[in-house]
Amino acid sequence: MNTLFEYLVRLGDDSLILGHRLSEWCGHGPILEEDIAMTNIALDLVGQATSILKYAGEVEGKGRSEDDIAFLRYEREYKNALLVEQPNDDFGVTMMRQFLFDAFRKPLFEQLTQSSDEQLAAIAEKSLKETKYHLKHSAEWVIRLGDGTDESHDRVQSALNDLWRYTDELFFTDEVDADLEAKGIIFSSEELKASWSEMVKNVLNQATLTIPDNGWQHDGGRRGLHSEHLGYILAELQYMQRAYPGMEW
Amino acid sequence: MAELNIQELERRFQEKIDNDIRIEPNDWMPERYRQTLIRQISQHAHSEIVGMLPEGNWITRAPNLRRKAVLLAKVQDEAGHGLYLYSATETLGADREETIDDLHSGKAKYSSIFNYPTLSWADMGAVGWLVDGAAIMNQVPLCRCSYGPYARAMVRVCKEESFHQRQGFEIMMKLAAGSEEQKAMAQDALNRFWWPALMMFGPPDADSKHTAQSMAWKIKRNTNDELRQQMVDITVPQAEMIGLTIPDPDLKWNEEKGGYDFGEIDWDEFWNVVKGNGPCNKERVEARRKAKENGEWVREAANAYAAKQKMKKAS
Ligand SMILES: [Fe+2]
Ligand SMILES: [Fe+2]
Ligand SMILES: [Fe+2]
């Protein structure tokens, strides 16, 4: 197995699928400023997906472009975490999903800027700048909603309760990670989890929210085993490429 | 006495206008000038925001990553335009939320073009090329509008609109040079958007009730028909260049006037859509109304949180 290719697909798919979810909000945000912010974050994520999947294609060496990889795989070949494919639901769910994800991606990109793989380090450098802004934005909203009104508190608490079961998967590792870690391309997932936990506890505390004690955690995304939601995302994402195969746009 | 003063103020105001001196928010202005501007700028703001919907409709289905990113960036710009324009109405004393409520109640209008559906990817091309193209033609003269904040907002907006127009034309160009299916898709989009795009300049001069006063106040610099003619003259050669056919059998170059003669616009259709009977009027307003309604708890939370923070700081 080409472990670097596999890793890049996991990383790129997280950006691709979350970018897709956020762009579903376009024109429907709770305030105009948030329409702008969410579109902007979606745009960053699509940009990340583009550079990561382009590099994945190069690493694979079979002549696939970033678009071939993004649009022309079957469902089981997508490797995003289950968290990012969860539906937008209300703004509280969207912001909580974003916060739990951003709090993972920031320390991840920080680590990856030190990667022995120069290309990956460069991608991480650029993505880190964007992710810092995303995290600031989502953390501020989690705090505002958590410590806002009773209604907003309840809504965002219930978002946390629902999404918490998808958080462990962000730190999923298998032989892919072990191989790349041994090569100095990626770094310890335990350290990552420690930074994530600290950030999450700190923000949820300010937001007066409680981490649910529901211990069960789902996984499968990294091995291509998804929730039912992904199929519908792909039906939209791939529509043009499937309906008009082999054309240029 | 007061009467005389008003007359004097109006005289000075018109003198400024005639000398191309910008009117700024704190300057005295006739109430009708203020109301005309609030109406026009808020309609413009609503158009930017409602205009996000037909294009937002294709972001998740964009055919490749580059097109997806460009479309996202474009729609994000439109939200930004809406934001500066709502701010410009606030400099005239309007309230943003009340202005938005007028849109939702159907009292305020927005550009009718956005009541047409986007049915294929080629519509992203046609909208950028024709709709943003027409918007530029309408808005370039507004950069010289007598009201300072509006004129300045338009300078910024126009720069972005020209990127929007180009990305749309580029989509069309690519389709027109593509497969049979792609060409057909592009032609169909042009067929559906051509006439509504020409209607974007508003009713013929003879029926335009606001034109004369707006021109005297230099809010408007060209008549509807002048701008429409300009649009036709610029767009026809572009269509020819990429091998698409303008859906107008009466279109003909007129050597004498140095412009194209074109067919009769179906003004019944125009007024019908203005009245609310376009294919998507109901959906567009409904989508915006729902966005506001679903966002109510979010805005309340943000206000409550801000109030708590303020209290904490004070104590
Ligand atoms: Fe615009
Ligand atoms: Fe505009
Ligand atoms: Fe535009």
Side-chain angles (χ1 to χ4, degrees), chain B residues 233-249:
Chain B
D233 292 343
I234 288 180
T235 314
V236 172
Q238 292 174 341
E240 276 169 7
M241 190 179 101
I242 59 175
L244 295 178
T245 310
I246 301 283
D248 179 357

Side-chain angles (χ1 to χ4, degrees), chain B residues 74 78 81 132 161 164:
Chain B
K74 177 189 191 283
E78 306 300 6
H81 298 171
D132 290 84
E161 295 299 356
H164 299 169

Side-chain angles (χ1 to χ4, degrees), chain A residues 20 26-27 30-33 36 39-40 43 67 143-144 147-148 152 155 236 240-241 244 247-249, chain B residues 49 60-61 63-65 67 69 72 75-76 79 96 121 174 179 182 185 288 295 297 299 301 305 308:
Chain A
H20 182 100
C26 196
I31 40 173
L32 197 43
E33 285 80 351
I36 296 176
T39 315
N40 196 30
L43 188 56
D67 287 324
I143 293 169
R144 235 178 252 138
D147 192 19
S152 69
R155 281 179 184 256
E236 265 186 73
M240 290 296 291
Q241 291 281 345
Y244 303 93
M247 294 181 199
E248 277 181 46
W249 306 94
Chain B
I49 300 306
T60 57
R61 290 178 291 171
N64 62 33
L65 291 167
R67 293 288 177 207
L72 269 166
V75 178
Q76 187 195 8
R96 174 167 140 187
W121 171 251
K174 192 89 187 175
S179 68
Q182 286 173 308
M185 192 193 287
R288 292 308 308 161
W297 70 273
R299 293 188 301 275
Y305 178 76
K308 281 187 206 174

Side-chain angles (χ1 to χ4, degrees), chain B residues 44 47-49 74 77-82 85 114 132 135 139 157-158 160-161 164:
Chain B
H44 191 168
S47 303
E48 302 285 352
I49 300 306
K74 177 189 191 283
D77 285 349
E78 306 300 6
H81 298 171
L85 289 165
F114 301 119
D132 290 84
Q139 290 168 20
V157 166
C158 281
E160 294 177 345
E161 295 299 356
H164 299 169

Side-chain angles (χ1 to χ4, degrees), chain B residues 135-204:
Chain B
I136 294 169
M137 242 151 254
N138 262 324
Q139 290 168 20
V140 165
L142 291 175
C143 298
R144 295 186 297 127
C145 165
S146 58
Y147 186 59
Y150 193 27
R152 287 188 291 273
M154 280 305 105
V155 172
R156 199 164 156 191
V157 166
C158 281
K159 275 191 203 133
E160 294 177 345
E161 295 299 356
S162 62
F163 146 69
H164 299 169
Q165 195 271 348
R166 260 180 291 131
Q167 67 87 36
F169 186 63
E170 205 195 283
I171 290 174
M172 290 304 253
M173 205 158 64
K174 192 89 187 175
L175 293 174
S179 68
E180 283 312 311
E181 293 98 314
Q182 286 173 308
K183 273 182 223 163
M185 192 193 287
Q187 184 62 54
D188 176 59
L190 173 57
N191 293 350
R192 282 180 289 111
F193 278 96
W194 174 253
W195 293 108
L198 294 189
M199 294 175 198
M200 281 176 71
F201 298 94

